[in-house]
Amino acid sequence: MWHEVAKLHDIAAGGMKYVRAEDREICLCEYAGDIYAVSRRCGHQNAPLDQGSLEGWILTCPLHDGQFDIRSGKNLSWPLDHDMGDEAAIPEPVRRYFKLEKRLQWKTRVHDLHTYPARVTDGAVEVDI
Ligand code: FES
């Protein structure tokens, strides 16, 4: 079922917009004149992807820099680890936290994003849920 979720002029060229339809959180992405709709929550640890960055068709998560293809929802890269090396300026509790996080990251899967069909009708962006 198609739902109007935004006006086309609300989405900047190369930009993103968070919208809701029914109970879904959706990130609308503009790329090369087309609108793509993907789930707003990152397939790693649920960060809001509309707060990340979009370069062409590559959406980068704001939390750990995992990357996704907005055309297919496919995960393109794993999150960055937080290897801070031997930098002395990092307090020991923070260093321990990053060590634990790094260990757990290896056991965490990154899921592809759900994609939704999107279209523009008379200046309105519609998403099929
Ligand atoms: Fe998105 Fe970790 S929450 S890469």
Side-chain angles (χ1 to χ4, degrees):
M1 178 180 224
W2 289 93
H3 298 265
E4 180 177 333
V5 291
K7 296 293 184 192
L8 183 59
H9 61 74
D10 291 337
I11 307 167
M16 297 185 283
K17 181 174 180 57
Y18 160 52
V19 296
R20 290 187 68 100
E22 295 184 358
D23 61 344
R24 316 285 172 90
E25 292 182 83
I26 297 169
C27 180
L28 299 176
C29 306
E30 196 280 348
Y31 166 58
D34 290 321
I35 299 294
Y36 295 86
V38 298
S39 54
R40 180 195 187 211
R41 294 293 172 176
C42 180
H44 180 227
Q45 291 179 350
N46 287 335
L49 292 171
D50 57 299
Q51 303 295 307
S53 61
L54 183 64
E55 288 183 43
W57 43 266
I58 299 176
L59 173 53
T60 301
C61 177
L63 193 54
H64 306 114
D65 297 324
Q67 295 186 310
F68 302 89
D69 183 333
I70 60 169
R71 301 167 303 178
S72 64
K74 292 281 180 211
N75 172 237
L76 300 173
S77 70
W78 289 80
L80 293 179
D81 66 44
H82 292 264
D83 184 358
M84 300 297 183
D86 295 326
E87 188 69 42
I90 299 171
E92 186 53 31
V94 175
R95 186 184 302 279
R96 279 199 309 269
Y97 169 77
F98 282 143
K99 213 177 213 177
L100 171 66
E101 184 187 44
K102 185 175 183 177
R103 201 179 64 209
L104 293 176
Q105 295 266 7
W106 285 107
K107 299 179 179 187
T108 304
R109 289 196 58 208
V110 180
H111 298 275
D112 295 338
L113 301 179
H114 187 83
T115 59
Y116 301 90
R119 69 184 182 193
V120 177
T121 305
D122 295 329
V125 178
E126 298 174 326
V127 174
D128 188 16
I129 303 289

